[in-house]
Amino acid sequence: MIALLRRDLKLAIRAGGGFGLGLAFFLILVVLVPFGVGPESGILSRIAPGILWVGALLSCLLSLDRIFQLDYEDGTLDLLATAPLPLEAAATLKALSHWLTTGLPLTIAAPFLGVLLSMPSEATLWLVASLAIGTPALSMLGTFGAALTVGLKRGGLLVSLLVLPLYMPTLIFGAEAVSRGAQGLPATTALLFLAAITAGCAALLPFASAAALRMNLR
Amino acid sequence: MKFGVENLACRRGEVTVLIGVTFDVAAGEALILRGPNGSGKTTLLRCLAGLTPPVAGRLLFSTEDVAYAAHADGLKAQLSVAENLQFWADIFGTHDIAPAVEAFELGGLLTRRAQDLSAGQKRRLSLSRLMLTGRAIWALDEPTVSLDAENVARFAAAITAHLAAGGSAILATHIDLGLPSARTLDISPFRAILQDAPSDDPFLDETFS
């Protein structure tokens, strides 16, 4: 099992693997926002939680269609489906490697980018916590969307359309936790909802993704 | 390992391509599938590999025992030959890539990236993966495409060794590999007659005539 994870991470950091694409997009977005809305720190610090969360979500979305598409095109997915590794495990590992290459770097970079948006320092902890808890759900939902569209050429647009509505609860509770944290209000409830979404995704989506893959390989 | 199918019907997408396929293959025997393009050889092999469930009939073996080699090579261009092989050895739990390297003489290519291989070398690498699966039934789809005569012989030797060790194989191929115990099965008689919408369908008549 660990072999698949190791291979995916290796492929991600080698040439053309797309590691850093999401992170670069996130960086560009956050750097551009102050130019767009003006340098007034009051406005920036108010919108910072929302911008950071929307940025993280869009960066996740950017690399979704690669999760299964490359393996499908070169025939690896067929071979994986005949291997002793259950497809449920393969889908979980794919989601995990997607998170390790996008969600985790975003979580680590976010506090530094928060400074650019003059986010209040009390919110930093909440930002990191909410991203760490919420982005795994984004990767798992995205893996499910990618599994549904795996046979389609240029399925990227369809994945985005399928997955965006499913991303909404994560975005709402994630941004809410940070903005409450920034105002010094208790934010645990939003964070708990976020954790519940992630736990639910982890429990259900590997099976849904594997079923979608089996259907598409027929 | 002995395997067979009984009254098997398989489909590709929504279309049922084959009906009533029945055969038995003994341990140490190879079955060669013949039939014109589009007659359902790939469909049958995908069904045997467990990728498409049969529409009807029975598989008299477990798909867990089948090692499938498709048209596509299934190689990762950015990984080296050794890394590609090691990945599959780990996935199948055999961990040792030496038998595959030896049988297909890949020793000199181990550190090369798969993207720098020729088509024939890629094919060799892809076929050598069969040795890493540790599975008894090999289901091969056009295995010799882009192999030269020398490597076809090498591949035939690998299959012969696999059969001698009690394995079995089913392969779709158009060339003669000179396997010692091979039978040929022409699958064109099993082809399902493609049915169009019945011509006496009242709704179709009203709308289109």
Side-chain angles (χ1 to χ4, degrees), chain B residues 121-133:
Chain B
Q121 287 170 328
K122 279 184 189 158
R123 196 71 211 154
R124 249 159 81 195
L125 174 55
S126 162
L127 289 172
S128 72
R129 176 170 42 214
L130 290 166
M131 322 272 299
L132 304 173
T133 60

Side-chain angles (χ1 to χ4, degrees), chain A residues 3-4 6-7 10-11 14-17 70-71 73-76 78-85 214 217-218, chain B residues 11 13 46 49 51-53 66 68-70 72-76 78-80 83 87-88 90-92 113 129 135:
Chain A
L4 182 62
R6 211 166 29 194
R7 186 206 67 158
K10 217 186 272 178
L11 284 173
R14 294 237 168 123
L70 298 177
D71 277 348
E73 279 165 10
D74 65 16
T76 308
D78 276 347
L79 296 168
L80 266 182
T82 62
L85 185 72
R214 281 199 190 94
L217 287 179
R218 269 182 198 175
Chain B
R11 70 173 168 202
R46 286 180 70 89
L51 288 169
T52 40
V66 178
Y68 175 59
D73 287 325
L75 302 171
K76 286 293 165 199
Q78 304 95 316
L79 298 183
S80 72
E83 284 169 330
F87 167 65
W88 289 106
D90 291 343
I91 287 284
F92 281 93
R113 295 240 173 135
R129 176 170 42 214
R135 292 186 168 182

Side-chain angles (χ1 to χ4, degrees), chain B:
Chain B
M1 182 182 175
K2 185 175 154 7
F3 74 104
V5 300
E6 210 175 75
N7 250 330
L8 192 72
C10 350
R11 70 173 168 202
R12 177 146 202 174
E14 296 301 308
V15 187
T16 302
V17 182
L18 292 165
I19 285 180
V21 185
T22 303
F23 61 77
D24 263 306
V25 180
E29 196 180 32
L31 187 70
I32 294 176
L33 296 177
R34 287 277 153 81
N37 295 139
S39 57
K41 299 187 289 290
T42 299
T43 307
L44 177 59
L45 289 171
R46 286 180 70 89
C47 187
L48 297 181
L51 288 169
T52 40
V55 181
R58 287 199 306 146
L59 302 172
L60 307 173
F61 59 95
S62 159
T63 53
E64 302 275 295
D65 291 319
V66 178
Y68 175 59
H71 280 289
D73 287 325
L75 302 171
K76 286 293 165 199
Q78 304 95 316
L79 298 183
S80 72
V81 169
E83 284 169 330
N84 268 301
L85 286 176
Q86 192 62 55
F87 167 65
W88 289 106
D90 291 343
I91 287 284
F92 281 93
T94 49
H95 301 296
D96 183 18
I97 64 168
V101 173
E102 208 175 306
F104 287 86
E105 288 183 34
L106 294 165
L109 301 172
L110 283 178
T111 53
R112 264 226 241 151
R113 295 240 173 135
Q115 63 193 3
D116 301 330
L117 298 179
S118 75
Q121 287 170 328
K122 279 184 189 158
R123 196 71 211 154
R124 249 159 81 195
L125 174 55
S126 162
L127 289 172
S128 72
R129 176 170 42 214
L130 290 166
M131 322 272 299
L132 304 173
T133 60
R135 292 186 168 182
I137 304 168
W138 288 4
L140 316 174
D141 197 353
E142 303 281 5
T144 55
V145 171
S146 66
L147 287 184
D148 58 17
E150 187 193 345
N151 284 303
V152 168
R154 209 172 267 154
F155 168 63
I159 293 203
T160 309
H162 172 69
L163 297 179
S168 49
I170 175 164
L171 33 132
T173 179
H174 294 287
I175 68 164
D176 185 19
L177 288 167
L179 298 174
S181 50
R183 277 189 300 142
T184 303
L185 177 74
D186 183 6
I187 63 163
S188 5
F190 303 118
R191 191 164 185 180
I193 292 112
L194 296 179
Q195 283 179 338
D196 296 327
S199 52
D200 53 349
D201 188 322
F203 296 103
L204 282 177
D205 279 353
E206 265 173 43
T207 321
F208 296 111
S209 62

